[in-house]
Amino acid sequence: MALLLSLLMALVICSCGPVGSLGCDLPQSQGRLSRKTLVLLDQMRRISTSLCLEDRNDFRFPQEMVNGSQLQKAQAVSVLHEMLQQIFNLFRTERSSAAWNPTLLVKLRAGLHLQLEHLETCLQQVMVEEDSASAIKDPTLALRRYFWRIHLYLQEKNYSDCAWEIVRLEVMSSFSSSTNLQEKLRSKDGEPGSS
């Protein structure tokens, strides 16, 4: 197991560009992992959404944070990392373990963990290059507030099946937005003058 973890970490580190080239490139494997995460979230559906219409809620997702057009690269990587970390934390709780299929939940956590490891390496490199640690706080703060509202909602609904279903759909929607941001980052890395 330790050898496998070491090999995975080596692959993640090797997939990042040299420190002097505006950070790491998001490899195609990151996109595949993101798509796989969306598929797993979709497969986790346990009840019909139509049964949960009364439980719908507007969590006020900070769409402007994942739009990407106004974000520097360090901010964009930080937003992606924060989103993945918050989703991982949400599905890591004891309450989520009781709510979802254990096999799918383990796969979801493993995929999120791999993506987080890669983004941590990228974030460190990009922050050094752009020297923008202070500029990162605002976007991640908005995401933390968003996920805090989700946690409060689950508590208020006593972690009901419908509450989890609404949250699953919300996470799929927000995660889908983050994959759009990943695509923008990949295309920025490929543009002339972006490295």
Side-chain angles (χ1 to χ4, degrees), residues 30 77-93 109 111-120 123 140 143-144 147 151 171 175 178 182:
Q30 186 77 7
V77 173
S78 178
V79 164
L80 287 172
H81 183 272
E82 184 66 30
M83 176 159 303
L84 290 171
Q85 185 64 59
Q86 292 292 334
I87 293 170
F88 182 81
N89 291 344
L90 186 64
F91 287 101
R92 184 178 68 176
T93 65
R109 289 174 184 163
L112 289 169
H113 188 270
L114 280 174
Q115 292 175 75
L116 278 167
E117 283 182 339
H118 179 257
L119 285 174
E120 284 170 11
L123 185 58
T140 59
L143 279 172
R144 286 184 187 135
F147 279 98
H151 283 283
V171 167
F175 189 81
S178 79
Q182 288 179 34

Side-chain angles (χ1 to χ4, degrees), residues 32-44 84 87-88 91-92 97 100-116 175:
R32 282 191 299 276
L33 282 171
S34 294
R35 287 187 294 280
K36 188 174 181 180
T37 298
L38 280 171
V39 167
L40 284 168
L41 283 166
D42 187 52
Q43 290 173 348
M44 288 171 70
L84 290 171
I87 293 170
F88 182 81
F91 287 101
R92 184 178 68 176
S97 295
W100 303 110
N101 175 307
T103 304
L104 294 175
L105 195 56
V106 166
K107 288 179 182 179
L108 177 70
R109 289 174 184 163
L112 289 169
H113 188 270
L114 280 174
Q115 292 175 75
L116 278 167
F175 189 81

Side-chain angles (χ1 to χ4, degrees), residues 53-65:
L53 295 178
E54 293 176 6
D55 293 292
R56 288 181 298 179
N57 191 28
D58 180 8
F59 297 103
R60 298 186 310 273
F61 178 66
Q63 187 64 44
E64 68 280 357
M65 292 300 111

Side-chain angles (χ1 to χ4, degrees), residues 18-188:
V19 175
S21 70
L22 218 195
C24 60
D25 298 328
L26 293 177
Q28 292 299 331
S29 62
Q30 186 77 7
R32 282 191 299 276
L33 282 171
S34 294
R35 287 187 294 280
K36 188 174 181 180
T37 298
L38 280 171
V39 167
L40 284 168
L41 283 166
D42 187 52
Q43 290 173 348
M44 288 171 70
R45 178 180 167 189
R46 293 184 341 153
I47 60 175
S48 173
T49 308
S50 63
L51 298 174
C52 303
L53 295 178
E54 293 176 6
D55 293 292
R56 288 181 298 179
N57 191 28
D58 180 8
F59 297 103
R60 298 186 310 273
F61 178 66
Q63 187 64 44
E64 68 280 357
M65 292 300 111
V66 296
N67 183 351
S69 60
Q70 302 298 320
L71 297 177
Q72 296 175 359
K73 186 168 182 175
Q75 290 174 315
V77 173
S78 178
V79 164
L80 287 172
H81 183 272
E82 184 66 30
M83 176 159 303
L84 290 171
Q85 185 64 59
Q86 292 292 334
I87 293 170
F88 182 81
N89 291 344
L90 186 64
F91 287 101
R92 184 178 68 176
T93 65
E94 198 172 305
R95 299 271 189 167
S96 71
S97 295
W100 303 110
N101 175 307
T103 304
L104 294 175
L105 195 56
V106 166
K107 288 179 182 179
L108 177 70
R109 289 174 184 163
L112 289 169
H113 188 270
L114 280 174
Q115 292 175 75
L116 278 167
E117 283 182 339
H118 179 257
L119 285 174
E120 284 170 11
T121 304
C122 290
L123 185 58
Q124 289 170 3
Q125 289 181 3
V126 176
M127 283 178 59
V128 166
E129 293 160 8
E130 292 187 9
D131 193 29
S132 58
S134 62
I136 288 175
K137 292 179 183 171
D138 290 338
T140 59
L141 182 60
L143 279 172
R144 286 184 187 135
R145 287 180 179 151
Y146 164 73
F147 279 98
W148 179 247
R149 289 189 291 272
I150 289 175
H151 283 283
L152 288 177
Y153 168 82
L154 285 168
Q155 286 176 350
E156 288 169 7
K157 295 290 186 175
N158 204 23
Y159 302 91
S160 70
D161 288 345
C162 273
W164 274 114
E165 177 60 17
I166 296 299
V167 166
R168 182 191 68 82
L169 289 170
E170 180 70 19
V171 167
M172 282 184 70
S173 175
S174 61
F175 189 81
S176 181
S177 295
S178 79
T179 58
N180 293 338
L181 183 56
Q182 288 179 34
E183 290 299 320
K184 286 180 183 181
L185 277 172
R186 271 196 290 276
S187 66
K188 282 182 184 179

Side-chain angles (χ1 to χ4, degrees), residues 11-22:
L11 284 172
V12 167
I13 291 170
C14 290
S15 68
C16 292
V19 175
S21 70
L22 218 195

